[in-house]
């Protein structure tokens, strides 16, 4: 193991390994969300969610650290804003209608949240990113159970008209 670490330092020089761990963590956390989507047979799954989380983390790392020292005014929020817009476009592609039923909204929202989790990890807010991933998983699983067992099992309320003829 020591040889691996010393060879890594030869290849990477004095580069910190933290960004690599950030990408891995963002991929894993978002992959867990994608796994839930995969298990319920949704079109975007583990790979999509992992890539969105990792890509968002990478863009965030680049926007914060990658442009330091090039001179001029550097605004790290510019790339972050474009990630939000780009992921919104990706999520919009997940939404489709089938007759009167609209599908894919939860998956699109999940992709949007995966991007936010990736950006959070890219900003080194690890506890917040982990909490957001676990809360998202609770929302996807627990709220689905509540929706299926409580809300959808109830018969829809129907408006009854009364005969007003005398």
């Amino acid at each position: 193991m020591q040889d691996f670490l010393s060879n890594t330092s030869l290849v990477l020089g004095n580069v910190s390994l933290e960004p690599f761990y950030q990408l891995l963590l963002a991929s894993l956390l978002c992959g867990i969300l994608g796994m839930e989507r995969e298990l319920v047979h949704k079109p975007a799954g583990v790979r999509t969610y992992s890539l969105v989380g990792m890509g968002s983390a990478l863009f965030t790392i680049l926007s914060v650290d990658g442009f330091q020292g090039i001179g001029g005014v550097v605004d790290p929020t510019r790339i972050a804003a474009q990630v939000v817009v780009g992921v919104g476009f990706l999520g919009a592609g997940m939404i489709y209608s089938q007759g009167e039923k609209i599908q894919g909204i939860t998956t699109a929202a999940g992709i949007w949240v995966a991007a936010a989790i990736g950006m959070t990890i890219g900003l080194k807010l690890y506890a917040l990113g982990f909490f957001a991933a676990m809360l998202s998983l609770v929302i996807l699983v627990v709220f689905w159970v509540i929706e299926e067992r409580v809300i959808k099992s109830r018969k829809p309320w129907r408006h009854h008209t009364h005969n007003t003829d005398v």
Side-chain angles (χ1 to χ4, degrees), residues 14-166:
N14 291 329
V15 174
S16 168
L17 293 177
E18 188 174 22
F20 299 96
Y21 299 136
Q22 288 173 274
L23 297 179
L24 182 62
L25 181 59
S27 297
L28 291 174
L29 289 175
C30 295
I32 291 168
L33 299 179
M35 192 176 305
E36 186 280 336
R37 299 277 77 200
E38 196 93 39
L39 289 172
V40 294
H41 308 291
K42 298 300 176 181
V46 175
R47 294 182 303 158
T48 303
Y49 275 73
S50 292
L51 287 170
V52 167
M54 191 262 313
S56 298
L58 182 58
F59 278 126
T60 303
I61 293 165
L62 288 173
S63 69
V64 171
D65 298 330
F67 297 107
Q68 300 303 319
I70 20 177
V73 177
V74 176
D75 180 8
T77 64
R78 292 179 70 190
I79 291 179
Q82 296 308 312
V83 168
V84 173
V85 171
V87 169
F89 181 76
L90 181 64
M94 298 303 304
I95 300 171
Y96 60 95
S97 65
Q98 194 172 30
E100 290 186 20
K101 188 174 183 182
I102 297 174
Q103 302 233 335
I105 294 175
T106 302
T107 300
I111 288 172
W112 186 62
V113 169
I117 291 167
M119 291 176 72
T120 304
I121 299 301
L123 288 170
K124 301 178 185 178
L125 301 170
Y126 303 118
L128 182 60
F130 181 79
F131 180 79
M134 294 307 106
L135 182 58
S136 298
L137 192 59
V138 166
I139 290 168
L140 288 170
V141 175
V142 175
F143 286 11
W144 177 82
V145 170
I146 292 169
E147 245 182 357
E148 291 297 311
R149 293 192 180 159
V150 177
I151 298 170
K152 289 184 180 175
S153 68
R154 296 181 66 189
K155 292 184 179 180
W157 180 78
R158 299 199 188 272
H159 179 71
H160 296 288
T161 56
H162 298 290
N163 189 349
T164 56
D165 292 340
V166 187

Side-chain angles (χ1 to χ4, degrees), residues 4-17:
F4 172 76
L5 292 176
S6 48
N7 288 338
T8 303
S9 66
L10 288 175
V11 174
L12 298 173
N14 291 329
V15 174
S16 168
L17 293 177

